[in-house]
Amino acid sequence: MSLGVYLFYLAFLILIPLLAQGKVKRAYKKYSRIRNSAGMTGAEVARKILHDNGIYDVEVEEVKGELSDHYDPRAKVVRLSTDNYRNASVAGAAIAAHEVGHAIQDAENYSFLKFRSALAPVASIGSNLGQWLILAGLLFGVGAQVGGNPVLLMGIIFFATAVLFQVVTLPVEFNASNRAMEQMVASGIIVNNEERETKKVLDAAALTYVAAALVALLELARFIMIYLSQRD
């Protein structure tokens, strides 16, 4: 790969996540200013959907930060950032419902969520260790002179676990968003045009996961090509 092509590729990798993050922030900023017709805060939305689904062992807590919302399956807690927890906006309701979607997945033993949770510690090690091994393999070319580079190969294998985690995350997130829409419509939390507005918030958030998975897959493919080229 020539220097010009590599720089273009590097710029592309940087640009994809930035565009996705920008879309999320614009959608969130716009719809966090619009009050949902039910007048329910994110906390109220989360608790209603949980209880509507017979889930009473999951708490809803407020956390600091912007868009720091998440579901913790180990602690059985839906954590919502302050603005979403306290305000009755379209964006806040959408994000709260999405995180509760994960809680419902957990309660139903959704297979992809279970697989992702089991993969998480392995992927964390693979991401950190894999990058160092790949760097060492590329810098020192250990074993490349005899038709292989075992250090680079080991790094690729470790890195692949992190890539797999990113890929498995996609169905988990899309499923949670679908559940969120279904629950909000069924509960009457959103009506008419709010369905379209809610979908825009959820779609923008999902785009960040798609971007992350795409970048990871491209990098994995590049490292594999480098390894194969060294074997020739």
Side-chain angles (χ1 to χ4, degrees), residues 48-64:
K48 176 173 175 53
I49 296 177
L50 285 169
H51 295 167
D52 284 350
N53 285 271
I55 301 173
Y56 297 95
D57 61 342
V58 173
E59 299 295 325
V60 180
E61 297 180 352
E62 179 180 354
V63 291
K64 295 180 180 179

Side-chain angles (χ1 to χ4, degrees), residues 1 5-6 8-14 16-17 130-131 134-135 138 152 155-157 159-160 162-163 166 211-227:
M1 185 182 292
V5 173
Y6 178 72
F8 177 80
Y9 171 77
L10 187 62
F12 183 70
L13 290 187
I14 295 172
I16 290 175
Q131 292 183 49
I134 289 172
L135 181 61
L138 293 175
L152 177 57
I156 290 172
I157 293 172
F159 183 68
V163 176
Q166 295 282 5
L214 178 59
V215 168
L217 284 168
L218 287 173
E219 280 291 82
L220 178 61
R222 182 171 72 91
F223 294 139
I224 291 174
M225 290 173 63
I226 292 173
Y227 173 77

Side-chain angles (χ1 to χ4, degrees), residues 23 27-28 46 57 65 74 77 98 112 122-123 129 131 138 141 146 184 188 191 201 203 205 217 220-221:
K23 186 175 179 64
Y28 178 73
D57 61 342
R74 293 171 299 180
V77 175
H98 174 88
F112 281 107
V122 179
L129 183 58
Q131 292 183 49
L138 293 175
V146 291
M184 295 178 76
V191 295
V201 175
D203 286 349
L217 284 168
L220 178 61

